[in-house]
Amino acid sequence: MTTHRDTLLLANVSRRHVLKGLAASSALVIAARWSPLLADDEASYGAEAMPHGWVDDPNVFIRIDEDGTVTVVNHRAEMGQGIRTSLVMVAADELGADWQQVKVEQAPGDEETYGNQNTDGSRSMRHAFDPMRRAAAAARTMLEQAAAEQWQVPVDECQAGVHVVIHAASGRELGFGELAAAASQLPVPERDSLTLKPRNEWRYIGRDNVADDVPLAIDGEDIVTGRARYGADIHLDDMRYAVIARPPVYGAQLASVDDSAALEVPGVVRVVEVPGVGQPAGFAPLGGVAVIAENTWAAIQGRDALDIEWDLDAAGDNADYDSDAYREALEQAATAAGRVIRERGDIDAALDQAEQHLEATYYMPHMAQAPIEPPVALARIVDGKAEVWAPVQHPQAAREGIAEQLGIALEDVTVHATLLGGGFGRKSKPDFMLEASYLSQALDGRPVRVQWTREDDLHHAYFHAVSVDRLEAGLDTEGKALGWRHRTLSPSIASLFAPDPEHKQDFELGMGFTTVPFDIPAMRLENPDASAHVRIGWFRAVYNLPHAFAIQSFAAEMAAAAGRDHRDYLLELLGPARQIDPRDVNDSWNYGEDPARYPIDIGRLRGVIERATEAAEWQRERPAGRGLGLAVHHSFAAYAAVVFDVAVNDAGEVTIHSADIAFDCGPQINPERIRSQMEGSCIMGIGIALHSEITAREGRIEQDNFHQFRITRLSHTPHEIRVHLINDDPELALGGVGEPGLPPVAPALCNAIYAATGKRIRRLPVGDQLAG
Amino acid sequence: MVTLTINGRQHELDVPEQMPLLWALRDVVRLTGTKFGCGIAQCGACTVHLDGEAVRACVTPVSQAQDREITTIEGIADDAVGSRVQRAWLELGVAQCGYCQSGQIMGAAALLKQTASPSDEQIVEAMDGNLCRCGTYSRIRQAIHRAAEHGEESA
Ligand code: FES
Ligand code: FES
């Protein structure tokens, strides 16, 4: 069987070329130019507002071969969330393709062609669903037109069925493959002429299990047979293997290196200095010394044999960074007022009048994303053109960075995104890819793979920001909340790109802090200063984690002080079902989404609480030493509530009997993968609550590997995780999935520990705080 | 020269005897299904079988793997237990990113060879060293039970 892909490409004069011409313009210009379908919407929200916006050209995303094989191009990074499967489900349904004849192809990094590709912020389906549907509907329309022309009948008598176009009146049909060549000659139909399939014609979208009850998983076979290709699985002839010794303190520089012992290690071929940029590092490499070898093991051994002096003065006070002392300093700073972010009523008067005054300070440490696949990248340069293979969340940033680094045009940099062995935010930063391209250049373009070890990954992560949150509340005689004061302190991710602003940015505060949904007469939200001493970066769910931990723990403390049932009290704090415009609570960000389409919906928050508590049989009495804990959180345009049922024994060991997770992300495109994201969030959140912590002393990270940076294992997995998906309502706007399940997990678990033991955890991780 | 028998085939490798099997498999033989996650036997991503037993390839020098049958994820489908594990994994959609799953499957297959129908406790004992950052553990546990059931059906 031979196929002639190129000639059968559904090609015509496409918007693609026009888009290319607009490359120099801002994303907004592109968005405004290409959004007639969404003319009613503001042009500055959602996918429209992302760099390079969206593209819905069928020629970009869908290809049909003569044998009927449909290839769908996926432009988003696959890191376990299942987007390669889910987006193909969308295309297959709208096109009318049969799953058995559909393949997926991974797009290289090229936002001018594909639209925004930064796989971050739980945005992939939220932003790609509509454009992919339109692309597939356009391709279907072109197939129908090709059939109509061949049969010489009106096009409205021709209808796509499953992988065929049918002329019902005459009973004739032609397969997609038979029509592909003719269809490719047709113009792409106008966007507003397209008819999208009604929901009841979907065969894959929204279904948990199809095809013999085996979940659709486009890479499933490859994964279980070891054929799936991740970052380190690409091989090129003559390639070299590199590991790099990086400065142990953020901002430190190389002073001197003695590489004589390293060069004696069998298999080591060269030692190359890698320049660093100092601070702020942005996405640039930290610099250091690379050992280049014939295999990874030789490179690792060679690095061990390097004798390096670092210039710590270049790091300034980062060299004194001590995370314990820093926590104490932030806790102290939290006792004084800070920048006011939001204010309602007179907080001082409310706290003065209160019958009971509560106060608590919560702490969440640094963490590393620690995907099991550490950063790795392979680069080569041929004839002035660079090519890189890597597990990358944000290929465009990598491309731009490499073009700048090598002084070549963007078009001369190709970034191939492999599967990601987990991302969690780490792989949205292309520093490791820039290391590879730098070394390839140093080796005259020879292919070089830079492999990070686990030690590298933990020592040089873009760390989750440490956070101190101090809360105060005043309750009246009945326990009702009169006042709420919250001060949050964390270093900002902005410190990575610019001189440290020393306070959180709007988008960071907008992650559950500014947007706290409680209906309390007096509220004051403040953000005192905090500075960064390590690279700070995005970690799955980002600042929602500490905000949700503090707010949801404190709400439980308030309920206990009021002598009330936690669930009832939480519902009362939220108040009646209503929609809040984020702008009305001083949040200008709203995850980049239109506040009119994506309000903060109190009814949906209440809904997930009710569903999770009902499933967990909240009212049922538990024996001593056993307890239920609840937390709820809104983030990334979705709503999640978690109830844990735990037991704690006399030795302080926690057994997690069950987790009930209620989740509302609106329309459910691939419920099976939504469920798996909730399960995964639950597991990751348990680790955040119980074990995970990165600490620093004298500016150096103390954890070397997984025996010290502890993540959840099978032994701490709940005996049962039950996921309850609600509100699959087509009228709702799509919500995120990858991140919003995580924030409520740690507070729910700590609330359960409190219910079981009476011991309140305010400092994460729990560690040995329950012992004795 | 080191001679290794991998998935039933002999390979002559010109590598130092202390080279960990992981890097010999990945960089020299170019069987990349076996993954690197920690390098110090703390994650299980590199799990392979030596004579049917699960070992961590990252801390197993090639010298110790000579004269033994090495099975990697690429060869596990030829094993009846292994292929049942793969099937159960697909039926339950275990994998998320998939990176740890070679090691998980090799660990599960070794367990089921020893204990045809393991309890939850036995599963924890055998599999607690196989980390998964995506958090697929509850499906892993279910899939091991499912593979055991498939074994009973075919027995
Ligand atoms: S790489 Fe061998 S156990 Fe982690
Ligand atoms: S599936 Fe991603 S690490 Fe296990």
Side-chain angles (χ1 to χ4, degrees):
Chain A
M1 180 191 71
T2 56
T3 54
H4 307 279
R5 284 182 173 172
D6 290 338
T7 54
L8 292 175
L9 204 96
L10 287 174
N12 63 25
V13 183
S14 71
R15 286 181 291 279
R16 178 176 174 173
H17 302 288
V18 184
L19 272 177
K20 281 213 167 112
L22 279 173
S25 321
S26 76
L28 284 183
V29 174
I30 295 173
R33 174 80 178 73
W34 297 115
S35 59
L37 247 199
L38 304 171
D40 291 339
D41 287 357
E42 297 280 350
S44 52
Y45 298 118
E48 309 274 310
M50 299 300 295
H52 298 105
W54 47 265
V55 170
D56 63 359
D57 185 345
N59 298 299
V60 168
F61 290 109
I62 292 168
R63 198 171 62 219
I64 304 176
D65 291 351
E66 213 165 31
D67 67 355
T69 302
V70 171
T71 303
V72 179
V73 174
N74 168 53
H75 63 303
R76 311 288 299 180
E78 174 60 67
M79 44 192 167
Q81 83 280 40
I83 194 66
R84 275 163 64 92
T85 299
S86 307
L87 216 45
V88 173
M89 287 164 72
V90 171
D93 261 343
E94 199 59 57
L95 187 63
D98 172 31
W99 191 257
Q100 301 307 328
Q101 298 182 69
V102 180
K103 289 197 320 200
V104 65
E105 186 177 289
Q106 189 66 32
D110 181 0
E111 293 196 350
E112 285 159 34
T113 300
Y114 301 100
N116 186 270
Q117 293 181 277
N118 183 6
T119 311
D120 195 294
S122 300
R123 280 190 301 257
S124 287
M125 193 51 81
R126 200 159 94 226
H127 288 181
F129 180 67
D130 289 335
M132 185 57 95
R133 280 185 83 189
R134 292 197 297 272
R140 166 169 46 79
T141 307
M142 291 157 81
L143 291 164
E144 288 168 345
Q145 276 166 353
E149 281 177 23
Q150 191 156 337
W151 293 323
Q152 298 287 305
V153 298
V155 68
D156 53 15
E157 290 179 14
C158 299
Q159 264 230 316
V162 179
H163 233 84
V164 292
V165 176
I166 300 164
H167 184 243
S170 64
R172 284 175 292 185
E173 56 176 65
L174 282 167
F176 283 1
E178 297 169 280
L179 293 164
S184 72
Q185 303 302 314
L186 298 170
V188 173
E190 289 296 319
R191 188 176 291 127
D192 52 14
S193 73
L194 298 173
T195 324
L196 298 179
K197 278 196 183 165
R199 211 171 202 226
N200 60 11
E201 286 180 29
W202 291 346
R203 304 169 70 232
Y204 307 116
I205 300 172
R207 285 186 54 178
D208 265 14
N209 291 309
V210 279
D212 304 325
D213 284 335
V214 175
L216 296 181
I218 218 150
D219 297 306
E221 286 265 348
D222 283 349
I223 288 170
V224 303
T225 54
R227 285 196 304 261
R229 290 276 175 271
Y230 299 86
D233 300 338
I234 310 299
H235 185 270
L236 297 176
D237 287 340
D238 293 331
M239 64 181 273
R240 294 296 196 204
Y241 301 76
V243 297
I244 300 176
R246 298 176 188 81
V249 175
Y250 180 33
Q253 300 289 340
L254 182 67
S256 68
V257 57
D258 175 355
D259 59 11
S260 47
L263 287 166
E264 308 233 309
V265 172
V268 170
V269 294
R270 249 183 95 172
V271 172
V272 176
E273 288 181 21
V274 182
V277 294
Q279 304 176 58
F283 291 156
L286 290 169
V289 182
V291 176
I292 318 271
E294 288 166 353
N295 59 66
T296 315
W297 187 59
I300 292 171
Q301 284 190 307
R303 181 176 68 177
D304 289 346
L306 290 172
D307 188 357
I308 301 180
E309 297 276 346
W310 299 104
D311 168 15
L312 295 179
D313 290 345
D317 63 0
N318 292 351
D320 304 321
Y321 183 48
D322 179 305
S323 48
D324 285 342
Y326 186 74
R327 169 170 54 78
E328 284 163 23
L330 287 194
E331 284 168 356
Q332 185 56 38
T335 60
R339 269 183 342 131
V340 179
I341 304 302
R342 182 180 150 198
E343 188 155 32
R344 175 187 195 185
D346 184 340
I347 184 65
D348 292 319
L351 293 178
D352 276 354
Q353 280 164 22
E355 176 71 20
Q356 277 195 76
H357 181 254
L358 304 184
E359 180 194 310
T361 302
Y362 300 90
Y363 176 74
M364 187 178 279
H366 287 301
M367 293 182 290
Q369 295 85 358
I372 305 290
E373 174 193 48
V376 59
L378 170 64
R380 76 170 166 205
I381 304 166
V382 179
D383 295 336
K385 295 187 201 302
E387 223 178 338
V388 183
W389 291 258
V392 54
Q393 286 177 244
H394 191 356
Q396 186 75 7
R399 234 178 137 208
E400 287 165 0
I402 292 165
E404 194 189 320
Q405 175 196 49
L406 300 178
I408 60 179
L410 192 67
E411 290 69 38
D412 291 335
V413 181
T414 305
V415 171
H416 304 281
T418 65
L419 291 177
L420 280 68
F424 314 114
R426 175 61 185 88
K427 294 167 185 169
S428 59
K429 297 88 171 174
D431 56 327
F432 54 103
M433 303 174 67
L434 290 161
E435 290 174 340
S437 53
Y438 178 83
L439 291 176
S440 176
Q441 188 186 40
L443 269 65
D444 299 323
R446 189 168 186 153
V448 182
R449 178 196 295 154
V450 172
Q451 176 69 60
W452 284 48
T453 62
R454 179 58 52 198
E455 290 79 6
D456 298 338
D457 176 55
L458 296 181
H459 296 169
H460 308 293
Y462 292 79
F463 296 99
H464 175 64
V466 48
S467 186
V468 163
D469 287 86
R470 184 174 190 271
L471 283 129
E472 283 171 88
L475 311 185
D476 70 12
T477 43
E478 263 120 64
K480 205 169 151 29
L482 298 174
W484 169 277
R485 177 155 58 202
H486 183 174
R487 294 189 184 124
T488 189
L489 298 86
S490 297
S492 168
I493 292 170
S495 63
L496 191 56
F497 304 102
D500 191 349
E502 299 191 345
H503 58 75
K504 293 200 219 185
Q505 309 299 291
D506 285 354
F507 79 94
E508 296 169 330
L509 296 163
M511 295 193 201
F513 170 78
T514 315
T515 48
V516 59
F518 296 156
D519 185 17
I520 300 172
M523 300 177 81
R524 189 171 158 108
L525 309 183
E526 300 173 7
N527 174 224
D529 289 356
S531 55
H533 299 284
V534 292
R535 293 195 296 185
I536 302 293
W538 294 266
F539 176 110
R540 188 185 200 176
V542 209
Y543 292 87
N544 282 293
L545 298 175
H547 296 154
F549 171 62
I551 292 169
Q552 292 297 312
S553 297
F554 195 57
E557 295 206 41
M558 289 162 70
R564 299 278 311 279
D565 174 79
H566 177 207
R567 178 190 59 178
D568 295 348
Y569 195 84
L570 189 56
L571 290 170
E572 203 173 287
L573 281 174
L574 289 167
R578 66 199 182 282
Q579 297 192 336
I580 298 174
D581 186 320
R583 290 167 298 196
D584 292 345
V585 291
N586 256 359
D587 174 43
S588 58
W589 182 55
N590 201 36
Y591 300 90
E593 301 296 345
D594 181 351
R597 288 181 76 213
Y598 288 94
I600 302 168
D601 192 320
I602 302 299
R604 292 171 77 183
L605 276 167
R606 297 179 68 96
V608 288
I609 292 172
E610 279 157 7
R611 184 74 188 91
T613 49
E614 180 189 290
E617 299 180 35
W618 182 258
Q619 305 296 356
R620 192 159 60 81
E621 284 291 314
R622 260 63 180 185
R626 186 116 175 223
L628 292 189
L630 162 69
V632 69
H633 193 69
H634 159 248
S635 63
F636 303 94
Y639 303 80
V642 179
V643 177
F644 278 109
D645 178 351
V646 310
V648 183
N649 69 13
D650 293 342
E653 291 161 347
V654 178
T655 301
I656 307 176
H657 287 283
S658 63
D660 281 283
I661 302 163
F663 186 61
D664 172 3
C665 60
Q668 298 157 19
I669 307 307
N670 187 352
E672 196 278 327
R673 283 296 92 177
I674 299 174
R675 231 190 289 286
S676 70
Q677 283 303 294
M678 293 306 113
E679 293 163 13
S681 296
C682 176
I683 295 297
M684 184 177 263
I686 289 169
I688 290 171
L690 298 181
H691 309 299
S692 299
E693 178 171 32
I694 290 287
T695 56
R697 205 165 300 278
E698 293 180 355
R700 294 164 198 250
I701 302 305
E702 296 187 290
Q703 289 71 24
D704 295 330
N705 210 309
F706 284 124
H707 59 299
Q708 292 160 324
F709 182 67
R710 294 179 59 204
I711 64 173
T712 314
R713 293 170 181 268
L714 183 60
S715 47
H716 278 104
T717 297
H719 298 160
E720 235 183 307
I721 303 177
R722 296 179 289 257
V723 179
H724 314 280
L725 302 180
I726 61 171
N727 248 346
D728 180 21
D729 176 353
E731 299 303 313
L732 292 169
L734 284 176
V737 173
E739 294 166 276
L742 189 57
V745 176
L749 187 55
C750 291
N751 288 342
I753 288 170
Y754 175 80
T757 64
K759 176 129 177 92
R760 172 56 59 187
I761 300 294
R762 291 181 180 148
R763 178 164 46 82
L764 292 185
V766 172
D768 55 12
Q769 293 178 66
L770 298 172
Chain B
M1 277 294 170
V2 175
T3 307
L4 298 179
T5 310
I6 308 166
N7 302 328
R9 275 189 54 197
Q10 288 219 340
H11 297 259
E12 300 275 321
L13 311 187
D14 182 13
V15 300
E17 297 219 321
Q18 327 82 282
M19 180 186 269
L21 179 58
L22 171 67
W23 300 115
L25 288 170
R26 289 190 53 83
D27 292 354
V28 185
V29 188
R30 290 187 209 153
L31 284 172
T32 55
T34 305
K35 301 302 187 204
F36 167 63
C38 71
I40 58 164
Q42 287 294 321
C43 79
C46 65
T47 305
V48 298
H49 293 182
L50 284 191
D51 295 332
E53 245 176 75
V55 300
R56 306 295 190 226
C58 67
V59 292
T60 306
V62 286
S63 57
Q64 276 179 33
Q66 294 192 88
D67 310 319
R68 302 180 69 180
E69 293 283 338
I70 303 165
T71 309
T72 70
I73 187 72
E74 288 90 347
I76 199 66
D78 295 335
D79 177 280
V81 175
S83 79
R84 282 201 289 273
V85 172
Q86 290 172 313
R87 192 175 127 209
W89 245 247
L90 289 174
E91 285 171 354
L92 291 169
V94 172
Q96 288 186 33
C97 82
Y99 190 81
C100 72
Q101 300 296 342
S102 300
Q104 305 282 2
I105 288 169
M106 296 308 284
L111 166 64
L112 288 166
K113 279 166 177 293
Q114 293 232 320
T115 311
S117 192
S119 65
D120 279 358
E121 290 71 35
Q122 287 171 312
I123 293 173
V124 166
E125 202 172 304
M127 302 287 293
D128 212 33
N130 283 85
L131 299 182
C132 175
R133 189 61 160 154
C134 297
T136 63
Y137 300 119
S138 62
R139 293 199 197 199
I140 287 172
R141 192 168 52 205
Q142 288 170 51
I144 292 173
H145 289 306
R146 175 74 69 93
E149 285 161 25
H150 287 329
E152 281 161 22
E153 285 157 20
S154 64

